[in-house]
Amino acid sequence: MFIPEIERQSAATIQAYQDQRLQETLQYVQANSRYYQQVFQTQEIDSASIRSTTDLFRLPVTTKEDIQQHHADLVCVPPQQIVDYSTTSGTTGSPLVIPMTNNDIDRLAYNEYISLSCANIQATDTVMLCTTMDKQFMAGIAYFLGIRKIGAGLIRAGIDALSIQWENIARYQPTVLIAVPSFIVKLLEYAEQNNIDYQNSSVQKIICIGEGIRRLDFSDNNISRRIKNQWSVELFSTYAATEMAAAFTECCCQRGGHHHPELVIIECLDSANRPLPPGQVGELTITTLGIEAFPLIRYKTGDLILSLIHISE
């Protein structure tokens, strides 16, 4: 499993690293984002006074409504530098458009490379991607680029008919599937109905996207148990958000996704936007690092998480 050097460091070293990256990000948006320039000016905030992630509470949050209402002012690069426009799923409102530069695409590839490496996907694997690559879906591009960077074989199966999925599995012998868990349930139902010997297929692990497979205590939820009771495969959960252009994927310990501190600063906030102590459930709030076109400061994702607990080994 590949783990970046910064992620192997002590909590204090990671904290110092993120503090420096935060200062760089605030300098960048102060120089390039009309939206954050206006917010800082209106609220009389000196962004240079924010020296640490522990100072983040002094900054206002950014919401989905802010993005929808001020999208043009949040873009930090001229149109000719934008090479891709991705959108969110729109499951909790109107889709949000997230533009990316070439460097943002490279960051996306790096993110998925280290995220899929957490699940120990290697160059010797063959990965079948059971998700769309079109419709401005960022994750499809991310998986493709990350797998390519790992050097594994790739089957872009998409969300085609279940019969074709099984034909692809028989023909190409993938060791890994990337799919929505409910899609895997349908795949198994089809196999049962058509006498397909899925237990002796080449598939060894499944990266589960788009739907949770863990409870808060990291035990298997109903859909995870249903799949594992039928199929002798490893399941790995992953969390991703288009707005942060990053994903957190489980390692073999299967105790939740790995945070990548070089890409995202994360907070857990209550309904009044106050940081929560360890063990409390609150809203995941992110500050992106290293993004050129559409950096976000204290963006409230709408997703609930347990507040962070640092564990020293």
Side-chain angles (χ1 to χ4, degrees), residues 70-298:
H70 306 283
H71 186 274
D73 288 339
L74 279 158
V75 179
C76 291
V77 298
Q80 60 268 27
Q81 290 187 26
I82 295 172
V83 298
D84 184 82
Y85 290 93
S86 293
T87 65
T88 60
S89 63
T91 54
T92 57
S94 300
L96 303 178
V97 179
I98 308 298
M100 290 187 290
T101 66
N102 267 318
N103 286 336
D104 293 338
I105 293 287
D106 289 342
R107 176 187 176 278
L108 191 68
Y110 168 79
N111 158 80
E112 208 60 53
Y113 166 56
I114 59 177
S115 293
L116 293 176
S117 291
C118 282
N120 202 30
I121 295 178
Q122 303 176 27
T124 53
D125 282 306
T126 299
V127 183
M128 192 163 98
L129 184 54
C130 304
T131 185
T132 184
M133 291 280 289
D134 58 4
K135 299 181 180 179
Q136 296 178 264
F137 186 51
M138 181 185 285
I141 299 173
Y143 299 135
F144 174 83
L145 294 173
I147 295 164
R148 181 174 178 268
K149 195 172 181 65
I150 288 172
L154 177 63
I155 306 156
R156 291 180 287 109
I159 50 176
D160 217 332
L162 298 174
S163 59
I164 296 176
Q165 301 288 347
W166 282 114
E167 288 174 11
N168 285 333
I169 291 173
R171 180 180 297 116
Y172 301 113
Q173 298 288 295
T175 52
V176 182
L177 303 184
I178 298 180
V180 175
S182 56
F183 180 81
I184 297 300
V185 171
K186 293 178 181 178
L187 201 63
L188 288 171
E189 289 174 348
Y190 182 91
E192 292 278 1
Q193 294 166 3
N194 292 273
N195 298 316
I196 295 173
D197 185 13
Y198 57 87
Q199 291 291 9
N200 290 311
S201 73
S202 58
V203 179
Q204 299 170 12
K205 63 180 67 171
I206 302 172
I207 308 299
C208 297
I209 65 172
E211 298 170 351
I213 60 170
R214 306 277 179 241
R215 295 193 176 97
L216 283 177
D217 63 358
F218 302 114
S219 62
D220 292 333
N221 64 13
N222 289 339
I223 195 166
S224 179
R225 290 202 308 271
R226 182 174 177 181
I227 294 170
K228 291 168 75 172
N229 285 342
Q230 276 190 263
W231 203 359
S232 300
V233 293
E234 286 188 282
L235 301 183
F236 294 83
S237 73
T238 185
Y239 171 83
T242 302
E243 299 94 317
M244 68 181 185
F248 309 144
T249 301
E250 283 184 324
C251 68
C252 60
C253 295
Q254 300 189 341
R255 300 287 293 174
H258 281 244
H259 169 223
H260 303 302
E262 66 271 45
L263 300 178
V264 183
I265 296 169
I266 62 177
E267 300 175 85
C268 182
L269 304 183
D270 64 15
S271 58
N273 298 328
R274 295 171 299 202
L276 286 167
Q280 299 290 314
V281 175
E283 186 169 355
L284 174 64
T285 302
I286 60 101
T287 296
T288 58
L289 301 174
I291 287 182
E292 288 183 333
F294 210 75
L296 293 171
I297 308 298
R298 301 198 83 202

